[in-house]
Amino acid sequence: MIAGAERIVVLTGAGISAESGVPTFRGEDGLWRRYRPEELATPEAFRRDPVLVWQWYAWRRQVVSSCRPNAAHLALAHLALRRSGICLVTQNVDGLHAEAAREAAGVDGDPGPALPVELHGSIFRLRCTGCGCTFEDRSALEIHGVEDLPGCGRCGALLRPDVVWFGEALPMRELSLALQRAAEADACLVVGTSAVVFPAAEVAFRAWSQGARLIEVNLEETPLSARAHVVLRAPAASVVPLIVGAEGLESGALGGPAAENGGA
Ligand code: BV8
Ligand code: ZN
């Protein structure tokens, strides 16, 4: 399905980063186990208790900063660099796809085609609640009280993580690009998402509804599973590289044992 597709949209969620050590949202080790999502990742929570919300993000930034892209991130980056027509879309805010793109492209390569459409922003980008300026920031933030809350260097207003909270609109450019690619995709590969958050999940449903081959990689059943043409109930880091390799098999780029004994 992947080898035969001209245009592929890939939608990833927290599950693709699980094997990198980034906690997922809804799993048993999930980030939300102590809080309900709506309690923390919302503008109301930030207004009500910016210290608590910033402590949560400071902890997540610290956890993610020691995580590396895994084989699934890298396999998708190589796929996007090796052939045209691939659009990587992620709900994740951990920046691991972008890191994999830079790694796969190498120091003088152009990571561009492998950079993901980030529907929910990035925890390593801050945004000013006053003047709206945004900038990359990977510093370790120690938030003990109001006096530690980060302020804008330009206007002094409170800074926030540049991520999309519940009840907030997704960035228009990213969302329309992702939905446009879904509308014209021949295949949609969905990796590690519970497919319950909208409008991000709409990318997969839209691709499916216009006839794209839907391939789901997930450890558990999701609302997409019933629609998927192929369900791979396996960990992303082990199965996504095989899928990418399989794409290589089709194009005859591979010799090796599989080809000798008449294929895998
Ligand atoms: C909006 C960023 C309107 C912040 C996040 C009722 C019905 C339908 C919709 C709604 C509703 N009530 C409210 C809504 C809307 C709401 C929504 O969808 N709620 C859900 C919970 C029902 N959506 C919104 O509010 C969106 N905005 O609608 O605005 C609007 C419009 C115009 C103008 C103004 C307003 C905004 C949603 C974005 C919220 N932000 N995150 C942050 O990260 O801190 S959401 C959060 O969930 C993350 O972004 C995450 O990516 C996303 C989805 O979670 P997943 O990535 O799927 O992760 P999860 O843990 O759930 O699942 C992991 C999966 O991986 C599992 O299936 C697991 O089995 C699998 N897995 C685990 N390990 C592996 C694996 N698979 C493979 N291999 C492994 N090793
Ligand atoms: Zn400012």
Side-chain angles (χ1 to χ4, degrees), residues 128 130-133 152 154-157:
C128 177
C131 66
C133 77
C152 176
R154 287 176 30 184
C155 75

Side-chain angles (χ1 to χ4, degrees), residues 12-16 18-19 24-27 32 38 41 56-57 60 91-93 120 123 163-170 191-199 217-222 234-237:
T12 68
I16 198 170
E19 289 155 278
T24 61
F25 287 84
R26 295 166 185 82
W32 313 98
E38 289 70 19
W56 186 55
Y57 279 94
R60 287 176 63 193
Q91 302 168 84
N92 300 342
V93 296
H120 293 159
I123 49 169
V163 297
V164 179
W165 281 328
F166 286 101
E168 293 188 320
L170 274 61
V191 185
T193 183
S194 54
V196 295
V197 171
F198 283 84
V217 174
N218 198 314
L219 298 179
E220 66 180 15
E221 181 92 6
T222 74

Side-chain angles (χ1 to χ4, degrees), residues 18-221:
E19 289 155 278
S20 294
V22 181
T24 61
F25 287 84
R26 295 166 185 82
E28 63 294 330
D29 69 337
L31 286 169
W32 313 98
R33 73 190 175 298
R34 277 200 315 266
Y35 307 93
R36 287 180 39 70
E38 289 70 19
E39 274 170 14
L40 266 188
T42 69
E44 294 73 32
F46 189 63
R47 232 191 319 281
R48 190 176 58 244
D49 190 346
V51 171
L52 173 68
V53 173
W54 256 119
Q55 283 171 333
W56 186 55
Y57 279 94
W59 171 72
R60 287 176 63 193
R61 285 159 53 102
Q62 187 241 327
V63 167
V64 174
S65 56
S66 60
C67 299
R68 304 268 65 77
N70 63 52
H73 296 107
L74 290 166
L76 291 173
H78 282 289
L79 181 69
L81 291 176
R82 188 170 73 222
R83 51 174 281 192
S84 62
I86 310 285
C87 179
L88 297 181
V89 179
T90 191
Q91 302 168 84
N92 300 342
V93 296
D94 57 29
L96 291 180
H97 279 295
E99 216 175 299
R102 286 190 290 273
E103 215 172 293
V107 277
D108 11 347
D110 169 22
L115 291 175
V117 176
E118 293 181 332
L119 295 178
H120 293 159
S122 163
I123 49 169
F124 295 117
R125 198 170 48 245
L126 304 188
R127 184 170 87 228
C128 177
T129 59
C131 66
C133 77
T134 60
F135 54 96
E136 288 298 308
D137 172 280
R138 284 183 169 268
S139 64
L141 297 168
E142 289 279 324
I143 313 280
H144 301 292
V146 181
E147 65 286 353
D148 299 322
L149 291 177
C152 176
R154 287 176 30 184
C155 75
L158 179 59
L159 296 175
R160 59 168 279 177
D162 191 23
V163 297
V164 179
W165 281 328
F166 286 101
E168 293 188 320
L170 274 61
M172 281 302 290
R173 197 184 69 81
E174 283 76 4
L175 180 59
S176 39
L177 174 62
L179 291 175
Q180 176 57 41
R181 289 285 185 275
E184 57 198 28
D186 309 305
C188 177
L189 173 60
V190 185
V191 185
T193 183
S194 54
V196 295
V197 171
F198 283 84
E202 177 59 28
V203 172
F205 287 96
R206 168 101 35 117
W208 172 79
S209 64
Q210 56 79 11
R213 302 282 92 186
L214 184 61
I215 303 157
E216 181 183 51
V217 174
N218 198 314
L219 298 179
E220 66 180 15
E221 181 92 6

